[in-house]
């Protein structure tokens, strides 16, 4: 090769290499290429325990990853509603969801344990199960369907609202139609008292109540307040009959291909936000209850301990059915974790 040709080739190579080099070290290009986007879809309002915790998680991750991980939160069923979220996660249309445990129970029936009426005397006993070996085993069940449970969050205990009459004793349920969020235990608890149930996604409840397609529903104060059910319904019984909590879930395939540092950051931040979420859930439900009282649009009945005990005893058949389907050993194990606290 002639000398000039060698020089030209070397110049081309140098330019070429430096061009490649500049593409690789270009900060913007690298960030764009490597930026991890996590779409976090949920069905409730932003001003709820889940809604606020999702935002906090997104903000902390943004700051701690220097913007290289972006959690985009989509509240209010903006992307997907109940019944669509799991498939969207499996398809990779979203990377994180936080459905109610009742909805997880449609895939894993033992998760109905969280729905059993009056099983948990207080939030501490809920957390004991969540944070102990039973909670861990329940989260591990998700792996069977390619899902990973990162955390469990609270909303709180549910109450009853309806448009027909104050609900004080079991016979007051008779003939009423209640919206439920999932089949099984939740349906059974109403059928047990002679009420009917209609299965509806969360974002259809307002319309169903306003059009009279259902007479009532069960939910936490935070959901009742933010969905304005107190403006539609005449009676609320502070029954605290069942717990509403969430599983924060990712798709295993997505999770496993993340760099280990990213997974560590997400896990650590999730653990921190989970503690914050529990406190926030308690405070927010209390604050929003005060707001509901101030608005004074719904008649509120607070049952006595004796009235609650009567309900609890009358829920016998719901427990019986759960045990038949999920084994009495499982329920007994859960009770063992709860009872020592109750006896304290
Ligand atoms: C409901 O469907 O009533 C709740 O599960 C909504 C939620 O996510 O809190």
């Amino acid at each position: 090769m002639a000398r000039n040709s060698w020089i030209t080739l070397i110049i081309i190579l140098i330019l070429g290499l430096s061009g490649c080099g500049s593409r690789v070290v270009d900060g913007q290009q690298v960030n764009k290429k490597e930026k991890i986007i996590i779409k976090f879809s949920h069905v409730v309002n932003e001003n709820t325990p889940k809604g606020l915790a999702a935002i906090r998680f997104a903000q902390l991750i943004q700051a701690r990853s220097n913007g290289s991980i972006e959690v985009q939160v989509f509240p209010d069923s903006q992307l997907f509603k109940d019944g669509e979220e799991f498939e969207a996660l499996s398809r990779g249309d979203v990377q994180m969801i936080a459905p109610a445990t009742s909805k997880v129970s449609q895939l894993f029936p033992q998760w109905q344990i969280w729905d059993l009426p009056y099983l948990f005397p207080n939030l501490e006993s809920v957390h004991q199960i969540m944070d102990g070996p039973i909670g861990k085993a329940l989260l591990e069940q998700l792996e069977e369907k390619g899902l990973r449970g990162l955390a469990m969050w609270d909303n709180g205990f549910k109450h009853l609202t309806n448009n027909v009459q104050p609900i004080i004793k079991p016979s007051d349920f008779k003939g009423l139609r209640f919206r439920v969020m999932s089949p099984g235990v939740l349906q059974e608890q109403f059928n047990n008292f002679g009420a009917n149930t209609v299965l509806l996604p969360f974002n259809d409840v307002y319309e169903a109540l306003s059009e009279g397609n259902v007479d009532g529903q069960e939910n936490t104060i935070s959901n009742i307040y933010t969905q304005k059910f107190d403006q539609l319904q005449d009676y609320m019984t502070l029954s605290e009959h069942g717990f509403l909590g969430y599983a924060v879930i990712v798709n295993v395939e997505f999770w496993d291909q993340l760099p280990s540092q990213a997974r560590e950051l997400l896990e650590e931040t999730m653990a921190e936000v989970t503690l914050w979420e529990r406190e926030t859930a308690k405070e927010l439900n209390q604050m929003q209850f005060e707001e509901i009282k101030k608005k004074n649009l719904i008649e509120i009945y607070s049952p006595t301990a004796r009235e609650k005990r009567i309900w609890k005893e009358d829920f016998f058949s719901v427990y019986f059915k759960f045990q038949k389907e999920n084994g009495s050993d499982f329920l007994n194990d859960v009770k063992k974790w709860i009872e020592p606290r109750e006896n304290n």
Side-chain angles (χ1 to χ4, degrees), residues 99-126:
T101 56
S102 329
K103 294 163 194 172
V104 180
S105 76
Q106 293 182 39
L107 297 175
F108 306 99
Q110 279 190 341
W111 278 69
Q112 291 181 91
I113 193 80
W114 304 111
D115 290 331
L116 281 172
Y118 292 118
L119 177 62
F120 303 101
N122 47 39
L123 284 174
E124 288 72 29
S125 63
V126 168

Side-chain angles (χ1 to χ4, degrees), residues 265-280:
L265 176 67
L266 289 163
E267 268 171 349
E268 277 169 19
T269 307
M270 181 59 72
E272 183 186 318
V273 170
T274 297
L275 296 180
W276 180 89
E277 197 271 349
R278 287 179 181 174
E279 285 307 307
T280 303

Side-chain angles (χ1 to χ4, degrees), residues 42-44 48 50 82 85 98-103 155 158 179-182 200-203 205 217-220 223 229 244-246:
H42 68 80
V43 299
V44 292
T48 56
K50 175 163 63 179
D82 291 332
E85 283 188 322
T101 56
S102 329
K103 294 163 194 172
N155 191 320
K158 290 176 291 183
R179 174 264 173 171
V180 287
M181 62 183 94
S182 64
L200 285 176
F202 187 58
N203 70 329
V205 183
Q217 61 87 46
E218 54 165 1
N219 232 309
T220 58
N223 280 344
F229 296 158
L244 174 63
Y246 308 106

